Amino acid sequence: MKTLFRAAPFALSALLVLAAAAVMVGVPDFAHAAVHAQAFGTHAFHALPDLSIASLGLAGLRAQLSDLETRANAKLDEVKDGLEVDALRKIEGEYDALLKEVETVRGKITEAEKAQTAPPSEGSALLRAAALKADRERSAAIRDLGRRAGMKQEDVDVACDGDTSVEAFRVRAFDFMHEKAAAVQTGAGARAQITGATDEEKRGQGIENALLHRFDPGKNELSEHGRQYRGMTLLEMGGDMLEAHGVRTRGMSKHERASAMLEHRVAQVGEFSVRSGGMHTTADFPNVLANVANKTLRAGYQAAPQTFRPLVRVVTLPDFKLVSRVQLGEAPKLEKVNEHGEFKRGTMGDAAEKYALSTYGKVIAITRQVLINDDLDAFTRIPRSFGVAAANLESDLVWAQITANPNMGDGNALFSAAHGNLAVAGVISTTTVGAMRQAMRVQTGLDGKTLLNITPTYIIVPTALETVTEQFLGQIFPTKSGDVVTTSMKKLVPISEPRLDAVSASNWYLSGDPGQIDVVELAYLEGQQGLFTETRMGFDVDGMEVKVRQDVAAKVIDWRGLQKNPQ
């Protein structure tokens, strides 16, 4: 007893120290025990749980666990909208490492708790209350994580009702977000394809319609979505789209907003947005600008006059290799077969004209300066001019085949005495037209014998002779009988082309119908007839680029369908 009382002051002092430590680390049982110890003296020391140095270690472990959980929560909060998948994976790795530490400390706490004696009834009640509080906090944390990750409510409820820990559910939520990110970024330069008109796509279509209406109100009526953007500048339209994607533009300078408009590409997934390095969609502002540029470019291409169209046969070629276009001759004559006679074999003559496709193109840049200056012409009028230029290129190629008088496959010039299609010089009259028509009718096949009887359909003149030609074809009362224009001559269709004036203001031509005989062949690359446009983010320019490309060629195939009068 004496020894016991000598030890009591030391035990009481140690108990008070442990209680103070317990208060600091948030262990209410120890603080409660300290109060009892002061009230009942040394006898209370024997009624308390075992408060050895190991108890103090348990409190430290719990403090360490709390710190690790706080750091894990902070690491999860680093997951923000717009992070790349690589960044998400890095955070996931660091988060997994923290979870392993949490599990290790939890194991140590469990072992320490088993080593302690059972607490008294009053301490047990406090523990039960603490357990209920902890469970409520666990459920609240799980519900918060589920909401932020966009998980289904039923999955969250199951986790709350079960024994799923916050750490385990946090891992599950992180995996859920990672899978959604992978769904829209399936590799470098890839994006998920979304069918149907989403709200983002409708917004993009509205901006596109508003810009086209602003460029040409007469041809582009405002749509329901386009009316929302009427009167807005380019920066205001792009800012609206950025805000819709979750990008806050308040406080941005004009340059910063313009850069964000050109660079921002978003795939929307639930409540999270993932930045993508892939192709633009119709919901991205750069693609809206590209669509407007493409449409105005094609409008210019289609609006440009191309007088050569009735004379050509349009074909496609699979590649850029030299092609040999076979000019089929006439079929051999059918010969009489006598009784018991033998059918004789015949052959068809042919000649070849060779040519290959060539590529032509230009690049149009849409820079940040265009957006800041609200320069609508940069992707409306300028692309339209490129479209007109592309159409003019085709006209240049076709008409050059006629005006340049190139050598044909037989080594003779297109218009030459050897081909029988170079008439005696003279003004447009019944005499000259009649002589050229007759020369075309008596053209022969490749055998030099078979008459082809080609009927001229078009009279082709420079603009300097356009009025004369119309007067000739529209003649009603001739001054003398020799000037009478026959009914068949009046059926000639006039084609007036200014490119002919650049070579000669007096030369004129007759042409047969391509349906009767090949005249000129206009070839495009297979699958890319006419204009082909391509868009990418600029590397040499601070903005985006629209590339306009044409793969095209023209070649005269048969000289027998043409007649020239070198007046």
Side-chain angles (χ1 to χ4, degrees), residues 54-234:
S55 299
L56 183 57
L58 179 60
L61 289 173
R62 287 171 174 165
Q64 183 182 359
L65 177 62
S66 177
D67 177 66
L68 288 173
E69 289 177 340
T70 301
R71 288 166 58 192
N73 286 332
K75 182 59 63 176
L76 184 61
D77 288 338
E78 291 179 16
V79 179
K80 304 294 183 182
D81 294 351
L83 280 178
E84 301 285 355
V85 170
D86 289 342
L88 288 173
R89 288 173 179 167
K90 180 181 178 182
I91 295 174
E92 181 183 15
E94 295 172 352
Y95 181 75
D96 288 342
L98 287 172
L99 288 184
K100 290 179 180 179
E101 291 187 50
V102 168
E103 292 303 320
T104 301
V105 174
R106 279 188 174 279
K108 293 180 179 179
I109 290 175
T110 301
E111 293 176 0
E113 288 176 341
K114 288 180 179 179
Q116 286 186 335
T117 59
S121 58
E122 184 177 0
S124 299
L126 290 173
L127 288 176
R128 285 195 296 272
L132 290 173
K133 180 181 178 182
D135 188 64
R136 287 194 298 269
E137 292 175 350
R138 180 189 68 88
S139 297
I142 288 175
R143 294 187 187 280
D144 179 64
L145 287 171
R147 178 187 61 78
R148 291 165 57 195
M151 299 177 69
K152 294 181 179 180
Q153 187 59 45
E154 51 265 33
D155 294 338
V156 176
D157 292 340
V158 170
C160 289
D161 295 338
D163 57 356
T164 304
S165 66
V166 175
E167 289 74 22
F169 189 81
R170 190 177 285 117
V171 173
R172 191 183 304 173
F174 199 98
D175 290 342
F176 180 80
M177 290 188 293
H178 192 282
E179 290 172 0
K180 289 196 299 184
V184 297
Q185 188 166 335
T186 56
R191 283 183 62 114
Q193 299 297 320
I194 302 175
T195 58
T198 63
D199 289 340
E200 287 76 16
E201 289 171 333
K202 291 177 182 178
R203 184 177 291 105
Q205 292 166 4
I207 293 176
E208 181 180 321
N209 173 256
L211 291 174
L212 289 172
H213 174 78
R214 180 173 159 188
F215 166 64
D216 191 347
K219 293 184 178 179
N220 299 284
E221 185 178 352
L222 274 176
S223 65
E224 178 183 354
H225 298 293
R227 288 190 182 91
Q228 302 176 30
Y229 299 95
R230 181 169 53 185
M232 283 189 178
T233 65
L234 293 172

Side-chain angles (χ1 to χ4, degrees), residues 351-370:
E353 297 298 330
K354 297 180 180 180
Y355 70 96
L357 289 171
S358 296
T359 299
Y360 307 84
K362 281 287 184 180
V363 174
I364 307 169
I366 301 177
T367 64
R368 290 185 304 125
Q369 286 79 1
V370 168

